[in-house]
Amino acid sequence: MGTMRVNDRTDERADGRVNDVVAHIEAERDRFLADLKEWLAIPSVSGDPARAGDVRRSAEWLAGNLRRRGWPTVEIWETPGHPAVYAEWPAEDPAAPAVVVYGHHDVQPVEPLEEWDTDPFTPVEKGDRLFGRGASDDKGQVFFHALGISASLAASGRKAPPVTVKLLVEGEEESGSVHFADLLRAHRERLACDAVVISDTTMWAADVPSMCTGMRGLAEAEVTLRGPSTDLHSGSFGGAVPNPLQAMAALLAGLHDADGRVTLPGFYDDVVPLTDEERALFARLPFDEEAWLKAAGDSRAAHGEKGYSTLERIWARPTAEINGIWGGHTGPGGKTIVPREAHAKLSFRLVAGQDPRKVQESFKAWVAENTPPGVEAEVRVGSGGVRPCFSPIDSAGVRAARRAMERAFGTEVLFTREGGSGPEADLADILDAPLIFVAVGLNDDRIHAPNEKVEIPLLLKGAEAAAYLWEELAAALR
Amino acid sequence: MGTMRVNDRTDERADGRVNDVVAHIEAERDRFLADLKEWLAIPSVSGDPARAGDVRRSAEWLAGNLRRRGWPTVEIWETPGHPAVYAEWPAEDPAAPAVVVYGHHDVQPVEPLEEWDTDPFTPVEKGDRLFGRGASDDKGQVFFHALGISASLAASGRKAPPVTVKLLVEGEEESGSVHFADLLRAHRERLACDAVVISDTTMWAADVPSMCTGMRGLAEAEVTLRGPSTDLHSGSFGGAVPNPLQAMAALLAGLHDADGRVTLPGFYDDVVPLTDEERALFARLPFDEEAWLKAAGDSRAAHGEKGYSTLERIWARPTAEINGIWGGHTGPGGKTIVPREAHAKLSFRLVAGQDPRKVQESFKAWVAENTPPGVEAEVRVGSGGVRPCFSPIDSAGVRAARRAMERAFGTEVLFTREGGSGPEADLADILDAPLIFVAVGLNDDRIHAPNEKVEIPLLLKGAEAAAYLWEELAAALR
């Protein structure tokens, strides 16, 4: 944290309200951390059936805490699995915009326990860091909103925020959000809003605050190619009948062209292209490709679609990946056969504008088209995949949130995206509202790993940004 | 057997010696079959360690039988595994050519036993057929030489054949001939010869007698492509680092061109091309491609190197086959990874002129050349493979043997090859002598399967052909 510029607050201190926000947060710091530690001590591991009672206890703790903090409406929302918490703080003006804030109160398992330096459910402060499962993902990031809204009210002297804040904290994010879309549909009217703030991602670095503007979607498929009804002796038949493994190699090799572009017809048609501004902002991120390659399993070279940087490739360009292939003899020694079947599992990461179902259908048609005579192809696509989500950097909501972040951090806020996929698109689709990612986690917070931590100064910055966010959004979304 | 023309002997009966040969064989028929049944009753399964004593008993039975039949020299040749039998009948003229006759006295396992209609080691005659393990592969075909030589002597009135006959009957063919090359090397001087007759293959059909003129060789290789040091999350890294499975698909897809030809540089340089005469003779075989495709695991279409027929492809053209591929996630469900490794096993069937070692080295170089940046390739080639063997149809030995076969069968003898690979090339290489395939097995003899049988009339034709063979070879090889 030595290089952080977050204390360089000269400009903001000229503004009295900033000082009130900061003063409130500083005054509340100890109570905020004490409360958060209480919450972190509840082992709300949603993936462990034995912890179901703890997940419920976590929801009840949050509901109780928010009630004590003065939220007018706090409810436990049941699902067929673990409960969510819903809390609402209406704006005074009934015509004010409404904003849903999304987070989750369940946490990842803690195994391997022996790799933790301290007990995962006994939160410990060490210097500027708070260690414990859920500190960053996602209890800490949910809870900064509780402090942010009180700082906002303290600074404004009002009894209600300038927008209606609807905090929705689910309890199944770490086990696949299996009931989340249904929960959204069931409460769609209560959750009606003008924007959804997601606080479950990361920033580029402690000294390079940033906002995520999108996550990739996902479409999966499994291909089976069938040749002879049984494995054949390659001496008797080899060279005169189609070999399904050879057909599979040819099929999958044809999925990319020489420029690393996916060859499915129309694959790029719906892609929302990167704007020049976004590419320029990505390029300003202090990206160390060598270090990234090292983190990428000591990958020896960057490789991908021609004409795009590594960050653009993983954040803003769709891909086709072969996740697994199998067929024929895979045991020890040789077996000279023409195998009967070949199998492959594939996944496509999708970006703004693309529809997983459409990609799956296009893949099916392409496989049928590219299977040689004498080979029978079957494509199974399973679920409908995950839709990509995307918030244009010039949208009103993103610009307002960026101003809030810049006021808190006192420096320019850059943009990132996430290469992975999550349930966030459901929020955008079902609530029909734009997403805004406001988060202060770091990539080295070791979420999903032993010794998860959060940087306390960043949590407080998150609270400060959240305090500014409501007035910025009130102005922007009206 | 209804369509067999083997009794249509008008032409040959004009020749008195033919009649003597046939008369001898007819007179000896019952003793020949009684002896063969005794031998077949010995369960000489070389692959079953519990049967080692039976394999030895089989060798001793054959040695004793040949001694009783008057062979001047009969020896048991020990190996580190199962013993072979060596029997020699020198020509009267010390300048006469010498011919090694190769066969084996060990047999395949009999499992699944419940699928046999009669006990595999209780030989049973049913009409023209003799059922029992080893009846066709290879005891029956070895033993017709015992009858053939006595018929030859009876017809000629001489005490010795016109060539020196050196019968070598190994005991490990069905378990990989692991000590055979060493045995040949150890006895190279005793086995010095002008030709090697192989009696361990098949004819096209009972009514279409034929001779094999070659077997394909074999070169095997295993490729490993390595990318990242660990499986990577395809959301975080997919599309920006090389995927070893994609590299493998591209590599293997590139192993054949659009005409189905293998792309390894120089792969076809050493191939002895099919002659027009051989192609014309192949084309005269009554080949039912539809039935063949059905036997090829209900394959839906023939497929292979452009410009060649199915028979040419499996017999006389080299191939590259992918025998197995594996890598990444191959279990149930999806796993969105960029996998760390990809593996493939390949085999090349080789034809006359090709050297397995050279092909393996060429493949290694080609893989290195065609592996994309960021991926590391390893090729393991294991053993030196199996060399192809080949006897030109216009060679003196093949022409002489064809005349002997035609005299016995009373009809034109066509040519085939075998697509598989065997130890026969060792005989040609180590003994430095051309191979001649003289055999009367049929593809429907169910060798290596339950209910193995041999057609008794064909065994007797084999004996007759063997009787003529020595005088034909004496004239041809001088």
Side-chain angles (χ1 to χ4, degrees), chain B residues 247-265:
Chain B
M248 184 65 88
L251 184 78
L252 298 182
L255 193 52
H256 289 86
D257 67 15
D259 289 337
R261 284 172 65 88
V262 177
T263 57
L264 291 192

Side-chain angles (χ1 to χ4, degrees), chain A residues 216 218 220 222 226-230 232-243 245-253 256 292-305 310 313-314 317 319-339 345 347 349 372-376 418-421, chain B residues 216 218 220 222 226-230 232-243 245-253 256 292-305 310 313-314 317 319-339 345 347 349 372-376 418-421:
Chain A
R216 292 198 287 190
L218 184 67
E220 294 182 88
E222 183 172 330
R226 296 191 177 89
S229 59
T230 178
L232 297 177
H233 187 288
S234 80
S236 304
F237 299 100
V241 295
N243 178 327
L245 283 176
Q246 189 182 314
M248 184 65 88
L251 183 78
L252 298 181
H256 289 86
W292 183 88
L293 284 170
K294 202 170 158 54
D298 296 299
S299 286
R300 295 166 186 86
H303 174 87
E305 187 184 358
T310 290
R313 286 169 175 168
I314 55 173
R317 297 301 298 171
T319 69
E321 288 292 344
I322 310 170
N323 307 128
I325 307 185
W326 70 105
H329 177 60
T330 61
K335 195 170 174 193
T336 50
I337 54 169
V338 177
K345 287 175 194 272
S347 59
R349 294 285 171 176
V375 174
E376 192 182 87
E418 297 242 335
S421 311
Chain B
R216 291 199 288 191
L218 184 68
E220 293 182 88
E222 183 172 329
R226 296 191 178 90
S229 59
T230 178
L232 297 177
H233 188 287
S234 81
S236 304
F237 299 100
V241 294
N243 180 327
L245 283 176
Q246 190 182 315
M248 184 65 88
L251 184 78
L252 298 182
H256 289 86
W292 183 87
L293 284 170
K294 200 171 160 54
D298 296 301
S299 285
R300 296 166 186 85
H303 174 86
E305 187 184 358
T310 290
R313 285 169 175 167
I314 56 172
R317 298 300 298 172
T319 69
E321 289 291 344
I322 310 170
N323 308 128
I325 306 186
W326 70 105
H329 176 61
T330 60
K335 195 172 174 190
T336 50
I337 54 168
V338 176
K345 287 175 193 272
S347 58
R349 293 285 172 177
V375 175
E376 192 181 87
E418 296 243 334
S421 311

Side-chain angles (χ1 to χ4, degrees), chain A residues 248-319:
Chain A
M248 184 65 88
L251 183 78
L252 298 181
L255 194 52
H256 289 86
D257 68 14
D259 289 336
R261 284 172 65 87
V262 177
T263 57
L264 291 191
F267 186 68
Y268 295 95
D269 288 359
D270 298 333
V271 168
V272 175
L274 277 163
T275 62
D276 289 345
E277 188 190 355
E278 213 170 357
R279 299 188 79 173
L281 286 168
F282 282 175
R284 287 183 44 206
L285 290 164
F287 178 60
D288 180 344
E289 186 153 280
E290 208 162 307
W292 183 88
L293 284 170
K294 202 170 158 54
D298 296 299
S299 286
R300 295 166 186 86
H303 174 87
E305 187 184 358
K306 198 174 166 180
Y308 292 93
S309 71
T310 290
L311 290 180
E312 290 167 350
R313 286 169 175 168
I314 55 173
W315 288 346
R317 297 301 298 171
T319 69

Side-chain angles (χ1 to χ4, degrees), chain A residues 153-171:
Chain A
L153 299 180
S156 69
R158 293 178 193 275
K159 291 239 151 41
V163 300
T164 294
V165 177
K166 301 177 172 184
L167 181 61
L168 177 60
V169 185
E170 75 157 318

Side-chain angles (χ1 to χ4, degrees), chain B residues 51-75:
Chain B
R51 294 294 196 189
D54 292 312
V55 181
R56 177 167 299 276
R57 208 149 56 81
S58 162
E60 284 165 356
W61 183 93
L62 177 61
N65 187 277
L66 295 177
R67 280 189 199 107
R68 278 196 301 283
R69 285 171 179 274
W71 287 63
T73 299
V74 180
E75 299 172 10

